[in-house]
């Protein structure tokens, strides 16, 4: 049987990880993040596809694609978390588990970051743990998918 596919989507400015405000986001690069995800997924027997975009519409299109292609979604919507009802709507339309990840602890930061539209549509949210949050999100998705499979039998 083919491994279940997990889509890992990163939003705007996350291509600049490592050099962008390292005191907030850390020194790991997007490459480091994606390598960590690939290694973790391999250990869990999951297939993975990582993508990053600075464009809101593209992120929405990729979320829509997850409907037919993916068993689970990990998304860091970055700045669009706090602004995009359209992105929230796209995530709402999914019936797969979705983990929203933020590298920084958004609740410790400016007030406008405390609210995420996407959180309304997410199964769960991880924030403040740097790139380790993506690893935890993959482990959690693996557990959820196993439980769903057991329920199906
Ligand atoms: C972020 C937090 C957002 O508030 C911010 O706009 C980002 C990154 C994080 O991963 O901590 O770009 O999503």
């Amino acid at each position: 049987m083919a491994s279940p596919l997990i889509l890992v989507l990163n939003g705007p400015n996350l291509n600049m990880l490592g050099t962008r405000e390292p005191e907030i986001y850390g020194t790991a690069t997007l490459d480091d993040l994606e390598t960590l995800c690939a290694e973790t997924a391999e250990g869990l027997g999951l297939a993975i596809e990582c993508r990053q975009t600075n464009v809101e519409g593209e992120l929405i299109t990729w979320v829509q694609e997850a409907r037919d292609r993916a068993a689970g979604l990990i998304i860091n919507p970055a700045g669009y978390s706090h602004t995009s009802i359209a992105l929230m709507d796209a995530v709402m339309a999914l019936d797969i588990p979705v983990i929203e990840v933020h590298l920084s602890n958004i609740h410790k930061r400016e007030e406008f970051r405390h609210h995420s539209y996407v959180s309304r549509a997410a199964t769960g949210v991880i924030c403040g743990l740097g790139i380790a949050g993506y690893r935890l999100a993959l482990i959690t998705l693996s557990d959820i998918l196993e439980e769903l499979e057991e329920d199906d039998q």
Side-chain angles (χ1 to χ4, degrees):
M1 214 176 70
S3 307
L5 175 70
I6 307 298
L7 214 52
V8 180
L9 301 182
N10 281 303
N13 300 307
L14 293 171
N15 54 314
M16 296 194 299
L17 273 183
T19 54
R20 168 196 183 203
E21 300 181 273
E23 65 289 355
I24 295 175
Y25 297 112
T27 51
T29 63
L30 182 60
D31 239 23
D32 297 333
L33 184 164
E34 292 184 348
T35 302
L36 174 67
C37 286
E39 286 171 0
T40 307
E42 197 184 348
L44 294 166
L46 297 168
I48 202 172
E49 205 174 290
C50 297
R51 300 188 196 168
Q52 187 277 331
T53 180
N54 293 323
V55 181
E56 182 177 10
E58 195 163 39
L59 199 54
I60 290 168
T61 300
W62 290 347
V63 169
Q64 289 179 4
E65 278 177 29
R67 271 165 70 105
D68 302 322
R69 295 192 54 226
L73 174 69
I74 295 173
I75 184 165
N76 182 345
Y80 292 136
S81 320
H82 319 299
T83 61
S84 181
I85 293 171
L87 181 59
M88 174 191 73
D89 284 344
V91 177
M92 282 290 191
L94 295 177
D95 56 7
I96 55 173
V98 177
I99 312 284
E100 177 183 353
V101 176
H102 297 280
L103 296 150
S104 64
N105 181 351
I106 53 175
H107 302 289
K108 231 165 128 177
R109 301 182 61 196
E110 304 96 322
E111 202 159 332
F112 61 83
R113 293 185 204 276
H114 296 181
H115 176 262
S116 163
Y117 284 104
V118 175
S119 298
R120 281 185 80 99
T123 311
V125 182
I126 296 172
C127 77
L129 303 177
I131 66 170
Y134 290 77
R135 197 177 142 262
L136 297 174
L138 277 163
I139 293 169
T140 303
L141 279 179
S142 167
D143 288 348
I144 292 174
L145 293 177
E146 244 169 57
E147 272 168 35
L148 287 175
E149 209 171 291
E150 276 164 25
D151 289 351
D152 269 0
Q153 281 164 8

